[in-house]
Amino acid sequence: MCTDRRNFLRLSAGVAGLTLFGSELIHADSSELETLQQRDTPAPIRRLQKMTDGVVPISPGERQARIAKAQRLMTEQKIGAIYLEPGPSMFYFTGMRWSTSERMFALVMPARGDIAWVCPKFEEERARELIKFGTDVRTWEEDESPYRRTVEIFRDRGLRTGRIGIEERVRFFLYDGIRKEAPGFQFVSATPITAGCRMFKSPAELALMQKANDLTIVAYKATRDSMRDGMTQDEFAGNCSAAFRALGVQGGVFVSFGKYTAFPHGSSTPQKLQEGDVVLMDGGCSVEGYQSDITRTFVFGKPTQRQRDIWNLERRSQDAGFAAARVGAPCEAVDAAARKVLTDAGFGPDYKVPGLPHRTGHGIGLDGHEWTNFVRGNKTPIQPGMCFSDEPTIVIYGEFGIRLEDCLYITDSGPKFFTEQSKSIDEPIA
């Protein structure tokens, strides 16, 4: 790897203003960084321009409505309050972004009454700068118990016993500390509340997801146009990250070449691109926290008939899944429809390979993978506002794999893709 390439990859990792040479940190001014980036960035990516003008964040009114819906669901589920620490659900309800550490920073949302925060005392001023909803901030000094502060919120909201919902990503030591401080409560999963809200996207959320998908396709096109014989996976992925940055967002991709495309989430084996290789790229970007997730598979050079036939079969499987995503149908029907196309062609059956070894799709929103899934056994009815990936994969170990992945959203009249599907193995990025 040449020095300039090392510089570029280091900058790609997000270390603004710093370039790493061995153990030395060399400070570079912005003009030097721009020169380094331009020197190593392929022309198709250099031509990209920022495309984030006009992005509309989620409004405070919509977040207030989300809190109100969560409180209605808590009442229905007989849950007195839910406890959340920083992450997508906290951001969903309040717009608050905060990193996690060993110190508790948390949100308590009661079924009745105002929300409240638990915060280290020395972080209070910063927290109050960022908090947009709720004025009740309970602080704790370094020698005090944050668990006691949390339980005080429960009691001040009239809760002495009953059920408290714990958000699924809360770390065990936090739950355990609260549980020990409040033995009179029953602790349950908060997923019926958080998923009950987040699974159903509003027009504002769909608009942000549409933008993320649009940007991903543009980045993918530029990345594909930058391919060259002998390039490594790291160079390919670095080009894609650079394309996303040029468009004004953070994003990335993992990529596999040749027989390693059969590994659904990639192989640790270093790979270099060669004529005739199948190329699988899977990734996306984030717009105001909302994710895209797109996979494109194609051939570097001229496809063989075998590659073309399997690619076309994969596309028929994806189409079958899409057609089955009808309002009111169980989620498992989508998996069954996509899988049947492959089984009828002699693959599988079930999760056996050669064939489709994983579910057909997952929910998507603020998390790249969230509730709920297109998978056997999931009887959840498909409803308007839900968003999913549609990504059956054909895995043929020792040969290659093909995955086409587009995300869809459910309207009153049925599913719609955010993106234009791949037309053919020769035109994979529409």
Side-chain angles (χ1 to χ4, degrees), residues 98 119-131 137 139:
W98 193 277
C119 174
K121 177 62 179 177
F122 74 93
E123 295 276 29
E124 181 179 4
E125 297 310 311
R126 181 167 74 97
R128 289 189 182 276
E129 284 183 344
L130 298 173
I131 290 171
V137 179
T139 62

Side-chain angles (χ1 to χ4, degrees), residues 103-170:
R103 295 182 174 95
M104 181 195 290
F105 181 90
L107 170 68
V108 175
M109 188 184 306
R112 294 181 179 82
D114 295 333
I115 66 173
W117 302 86
V118 182
C119 174
K121 177 62 179 177
F122 74 93
E123 295 276 29
E124 181 179 4
E125 297 310 311
R126 181 167 74 97
R128 289 189 182 276
E129 284 183 344
L130 298 173
I131 290 171
K132 302 178 179 67
F133 300 93
T135 59
D136 187 353
V137 179
R138 307 292 176 99
T139 62
W140 55 280
E141 298 284 9
E142 295 280 65
D143 60 347
E144 295 179 331
S145 169
Y147 312 113
R148 188 166 300 162
R149 294 289 181 272
T150 303
V151 176
E152 287 170 359
I153 296 171
F154 298 157
R155 290 172 179 159
D156 288 348
R157 299 300 185 271
L159 302 173
R160 296 291 187 275
T161 59
R163 304 195 327 151
I164 301 295
I166 302 294
E167 206 263 348
E168 63 183 351
R169 291 193 176 186
V170 171

Side-chain angles (χ1 to χ4, degrees), residues 84-90 96-100 105-106 169 171:
L84 306 92
E85 66 167 321
S89 288
M90 180 181 286
M96 170 61 85
R97 295 189 186 276
W98 193 277
S99 60
T100 58
F105 181 90
R169 291 193 176 186
R171 292 165 294 170

Side-chain angles (χ1 to χ4, degrees), residues 8 12 41-42 45 48 223 237-249 251:
F8 176 72
S12 297
T41 303
I45 296 172
L48 296 176
T223 303
N239 285 343
C240 193
S241 295
F244 279 119
R245 287 197 304 277
L247 295 169
V249 293

